[in-house]
């Protein structure tokens, strides 16, 4: 007998609106299960050290085993205290932010969490400045002062988004006696104060999480044990789901499978959400790359056919994106559609001719190893080479090697997915097109930096809309990247598991503690 529950969620600016939620209010059975719920994902934890990773898989883990001063409640865009009792800006200038750390927190070792631990954690992350770490988020931070449980962050400029940044994985608080000041910790243990304790971990394979009885913070209840299983490719994750190896799947099932899920006789709960996850094609603009020439980047933008990528490689599970800032976020525009409304070989040819660029332009397109990403790369190659203006060499690599390669500048172009660090448009501007951005493509623009700075001045975020629109116009003109798509998110769970809908809510927090047996 087929039993399929589909919950559709619309996330707009981080505010969650759900239809049919009543179907999820199920009472637990008399026999309470205590075995671990198994969650499968293709997201990879690249580092257990919060100073060393700036990716979705690592931050998903951090939100469960570490605390930040602030966090986000499901579906809300304003952060609330977690490790802090309270936080606020000091004065009206938005250049000093102060938090009082809770006095009842302990690390897994039993040692008390202090203001010095908070100061150490933030300063350590910034000073290590790992190649793929989150230090670029804190460019406005000047100094941190700890006085007992009081921590004051002094900023070098107004930054209304600073509390949002503290609420991310970059704000994770570590035990200063366990993490070296000048280098990343490389072992497979974690010393945090989050709702879960990492009891066992095998990189790339599994993580065993058990409730932390000493946790104190914003979460009202801590769930049961969870076993996270990691898969290299989406096809492997789908196979594990089909053979009932896992109870919940989240990120990333094969698009072809998702387009047909629910049509089988298996019982499955499906959460489908319009999310803020996007994917851009980034260009290496450093000297030595052919993409250092703006006309080449503009020509690529002129011929890309997004609908063909959406319906081909992704089977309609994503939507075309024509701007840096996705739909549902403050200041969203269609700047790339305005500049390049239809794929045009003629326009691309004219751009290259005017810049005296010899054709065909040869370049390397790198991508993460996965069947879906390979199909996307093949479609981009087909579209570009069909014009006769480009010759594309494809290069695939496993996720860690792929990251290292684009940081080194081994690729001329490379598509990368992006989840916002926090529910604000700043999370798509400063980290992606600001100087020293997280994509390491060498792009710098004084005008864009100035506009980013302008957006950070407003405590009323709606007032920054015009500046966000101006940033997107500049990006469409300079083309350090080409937006490709905005994703729908899918969580699959068996009928025996409740709470899976909370794994995707637009705040970037992986709420494993919400899972429970029915």
């Amino acid at each position: 007998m087929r039993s399929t529950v589909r919950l559709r969620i619309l996330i707009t600016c981080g505010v969650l609106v759900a239809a049919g939620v009543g179907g999820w209010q199920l009472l637990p059975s008399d026999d309470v299960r205590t075995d671990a719920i198994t969650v499968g994902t293709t997201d990879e934890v690249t580092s257990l050290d919060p100073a060393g990773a700036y990716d979705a898989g690592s931050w998903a883990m951090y939100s469960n085993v570490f605390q930040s001063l602030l966090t986000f409640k499901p579906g809300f865009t304003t952060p609330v205290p977690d490790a802090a009792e309270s936080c606020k800006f000091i004065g009206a200038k938005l250049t000093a932010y102060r938090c009082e750390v809770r006095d009842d927190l302990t690390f897994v070792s039993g040692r008390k969490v202090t203001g010095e631990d908070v100061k150490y954690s933030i300063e350590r992350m910034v000073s290590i400045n790992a190649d793929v770490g989150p230090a670029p988020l804190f460019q406005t931070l000047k100094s941190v002062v700890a006085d007992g449980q009081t921590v004051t962050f002094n900023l070098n400029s107004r930054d209304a988004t600073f509390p949002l940044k503290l609420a991310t994985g970059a704000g994770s608080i570590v035990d200063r006696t366990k993490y070296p000041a000048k280098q990343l910790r490389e072992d497979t243990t974690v010393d945090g104060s989050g709702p879960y304790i990492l009891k066992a971990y095998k990189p790339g394979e599994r993580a065993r999480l058990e409730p932390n009885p000493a946790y104190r913070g914003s979460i009202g209840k801590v769930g049961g044990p969870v076993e996270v299983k990691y898969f290299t490719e989406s096809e492997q994750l789908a196979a594990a789901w089909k053979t009932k190896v896992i109870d919940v799947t989240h990120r990333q099932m094969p698009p072809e499978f998702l387009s047909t899920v629910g049509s089988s006789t298996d019982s499955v709960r499906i959460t489908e959400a319009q999310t803020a996850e996007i994917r851009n094609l980034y260009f290496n603009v450093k000297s030595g790359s052919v993409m250092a020439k703006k006309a080449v980047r503009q020509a690529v933008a002129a011929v890309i056919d997004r609908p063909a990528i959406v319906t081909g490689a992704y089977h309609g599970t994503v939507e075309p994106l024509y701007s840096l800032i996705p739909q549902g976020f403050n200041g969203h525009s269609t700047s790339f559609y305005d500049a390049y409304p239809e794929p045009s070989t003629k326009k691309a040819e004219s751009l290259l001719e005017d810049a005296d660029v010899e054709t065909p332009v040869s370049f390397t397109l790198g991508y993460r190893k996965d069947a879906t990403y390979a199909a996307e790369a093949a479609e981009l190659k087909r579209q570009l080479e069909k014009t006769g203006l480009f010759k594309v060499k494809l290069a695939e690599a496993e996720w860690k090697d792929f990251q290292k390669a684009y940081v080194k500048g081994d690729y001329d172009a490379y598509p990368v997915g992006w989840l916002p660090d926090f529910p604000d448009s700043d999370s798509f501007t400063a980290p992606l097109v600001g100087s020293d951005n997280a994509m390491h493509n060498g792009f710098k623009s004084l005008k864009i930096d100035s506009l980013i700075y302008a957006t950070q001045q407003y405590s009323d975020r709606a007032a920054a809309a015009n500046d966000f629109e101006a940033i997107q116009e500049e990006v469409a003109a300079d083309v350090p990247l080409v937006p490709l798509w905005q994703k729908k998110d899918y969580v699959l769970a068996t009928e025996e598991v409740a709470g899976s809908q909370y794994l995707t809510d637009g705040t970037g927090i992986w709420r494993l503690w919400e899972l429970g047996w029915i």
Side-chain angles (χ1 to χ4, degrees), residues 54 77 81 107 113 116 130 244 252 275 288 290 359 384 393 432:
Y54 195 1
T77 60
F107 293 109
V113 178
E116 284 294 337
K244 305 184 186 305
Q252 308 276 350
T275 74
V290 67
T359 59
L384 292 164
K393 178 184 177 182
L432 299 185

Side-chain angles (χ1 to χ4, degrees), residues 75-395:
F76 288 87
T77 60
T78 301
V80 298
D82 188 15
E85 285 281 1
S86 62
C87 291
K88 64 180 180 179
F89 278 106
I90 306 302
K93 293 184 178 180
L94 303 182
T95 56
Y97 193 71
R98 182 168 296 161
C99 293
E100 297 292 332
V101 182
R102 291 179 63 121
D103 204 40
D104 58 351
L105 304 180
T106 58
F107 293 109
V108 294
S109 65
R111 194 177 73 78
K112 180 179 178 179
V113 178
T114 68
E116 284 294 337
D117 290 297
V118 175
K119 170 182 164 70
Y120 181 88
S121 299
I122 300 297
E123 289 185 336
R124 172 180 179 269
M125 176 268 298
V126 171
S127 65
I128 289 177
N129 194 22
D131 285 343
V132 289
L137 267 180
F138 286 84
Q139 292 182 358
T140 61
L141 180 63
K142 182 168 64 175
S143 65
V144 187
V145 178
D147 181 8
Q149 296 298 88
T150 302
V151 182
T152 303
F153 301 91
N154 298 305
L155 311 180
N156 53 37
S157 63
R158 291 168 58 92
D159 186 359
T161 68
F162 189 76
L164 304 173
K165 296 167 183 174
L166 280 180
T168 70
S172 297
I173 302 167
V174 302
D175 184 338
R176 71 181 187 277
T177 68
K178 304 288 187 179
Y179 289 78
K182 302 298 182 182
Q183 63 187 38
L184 296 177
R185 182 172 167 177
E186 300 292 348
D187 62 17
T188 57
T189 57
V190 164
D191 288 276
S193 58
Y196 278 102
I197 298 171
L198 183 64
K199 299 295 288 187
Y201 179 72
K202 190 168 184 180
E205 294 187 21
R206 60 182 287 267
R208 171 80 180 194
L209 299 171
E210 295 186 3
N212 179 5
Y215 169 79
R216 303 291 183 273
S218 66
I219 300 170
K221 71 175 184 68
V222 178
V226 174
E227 182 94 6
V228 181
K229 291 187 178 295
Y230 295 98
F231 298 88
T232 304
E233 298 190 26
S234 56
E235 296 291 345
Q236 297 171 342
L237 178 60
W241 170 260
K242 292 174 183 176
T243 56
K244 305 184 186 305
V245 172
I246 52 181
D247 305 302
V248 180
T249 76
H250 185 213
R251 298 176 48 81
Q252 308 276 350
M253 292 290 268
E256 186 174 10
F257 176 84
L258 289 172
S259 67
T260 61
V261 71
S263 60
S264 70
T265 58
D266 292 334
S267 297
V268 57
R269 300 182 184 279
I270 308 168
T271 303
E272 177 183 333
Q274 182 65 57
T275 74
E277 181 178 353
I278 64 173
R279 190 167 174 86
N280 299 319
L281 176 64
Y282 296 91
F283 296 117
N284 177 5
V285 305
K286 300 170 187 173
S287 177
S289 170
V290 67
M291 294 301 172
K293 296 181 179 180
K294 180 167 68 174
V296 177
R297 306 194 300 269
Q298 291 174 324
V300 172
V303 298
I304 287 181
D305 183 350
R306 293 169 181 79
I309 296 172
V310 166
T311 58
Y314 291 94
H315 297 272
T317 59
V318 300
E319 297 177 350
L321 181 63
Y322 295 91
S323 59
L324 176 66
I325 298 172
Q327 295 182 57
F329 275 72
N330 183 30
H332 164 74
S333 71
T334 56
S335 57
F336 273 82
Y337 185 84
D338 298 338
Y340 314 97
E342 296 291 341
S344 173
T345 298
K346 184 177 180 180
K347 181 168 186 173
E349 186 175 22
S350 177
L351 286 164
L352 295 172
E353 285 181 355
D354 291 346
D356 293 323
V357 175
E358 184 177 345
T359 59
V361 178
S362 297
F363 71 93
T364 300
L365 174 65
Y367 63 93
R368 178 183 177 178
K369 184 179 180 181
D370 182 87
T372 302
Y373 299 146
E376 175 189 65
E379 174 61 20
L380 286 168
K381 174 182 171 71
R382 184 194 68 79
Q383 292 180 14
L384 292 164
E385 292 189 341
K386 184 178 70 171
T387 67
L389 302 173
F390 299 96
K391 184 66 176 176
V392 182
K393 178 184 177 182
L394 299 181

Side-chain angles (χ1 to χ4, degrees), residues 9 381 445 508:
I9 299 175
K381 174 182 171 71
S445 166

